[in-house]
Amino acid sequence: MSGVPTTADYELMLRRAPLRVTGPRLAVMAAVHTHPHSDTDSLIGVVRAALPAVSHQAVYDVLRALTTAGLVRRIQPSGSVARYEARVGDNHHHVVCRSCGTIADVDCAVGPAPCLTASDDRGFVIDEAEVTYWGWCRDCAAVPATT
């Protein structure tokens, strides 16, 4: 699948999960794919544009099911509400703007997932690492600081 997934792609992803294909699940999948790193309230707004009668609880339930199935990733940078993205399974990281809160994806710096090799795993079997880089996005860095 290259480019933006289609409804047929979402249906296939759900069936492979295996989850039932429903209107709310399709709408949430589309919203997360087209609005990465969005919070739940933002996603509810996008989903309601397609399905006006969908409830808050339905969107929460769908996000939980999609996250559990590995179709969606839930991230929550320090000081932020939970956010969702469709990029899953590659152990990528994030950069967050300290000023406006914009979040962007960042690939591992070297190799496929070097951060999964901890200097001391303390007996854990590590399957994921979460790295968050903090700084200022291009727009916020260009604004002179006020005192």
Side-chain angles (χ1 to χ4, degrees):
M1 174 181 11
S2 62
V4 179
T6 65
T7 300
D9 294 326
Y10 298 136
E11 289 174 359
L12 183 60
M13 287 184 239
L14 288 167
R15 286 189 178 103
R16 285 182 178 163
L19 294 172
R20 280 187 322 113
V21 175
T22 66
R25 285 181 177 162
L26 292 171
V28 171
M29 291 277 291
V32 172
H33 275 85
T34 57
H35 298 85
H37 309 123
S38 290
D39 62 26
T40 308
D41 286 341
S42 298
L43 292 171
I44 288 169
V46 173
V47 169
R48 281 197 170 150
L51 297 173
V54 74
S55 69
H56 278 72
Q57 190 60 50
V59 174
Y60 279 101
D61 292 346
V62 169
L63 286 168
R64 187 176 317 106
L66 296 177
T67 301
T68 300
L71 297 175
V72 166
R73 182 178 178 195
R74 180 185 184 273
I75 63 168
Q76 190 167 3
S78 180
S80 175
V81 297
R83 304 199 176 240
Y84 296 88
E85 65 181 350
R87 185 174 170 186
V88 297
D90 66 350
N91 202 60
H92 70 280
H93 308 304
H94 298 94
V95 60
V96 181
C97 180
R98 292 184 186 277
S99 182
C100 69
T102 295
I103 301 173
D105 293 333
V106 179
D107 292 328
C108 284
V110 179
C115 49
L116 291 182
T117 306
S119 59
D120 182 354
D121 63 21
R122 307 286 183 162
F124 283 71
V125 176
I126 298 171
D127 66 356
E128 183 178 5
E130 206 170 283
V131 175
T132 304
Y133 299 96
W134 294 88
W136 290 267
C137 69
R138 187 171 291 138
D139 291 341
C140 292
V143 175
T146 58
T147 53

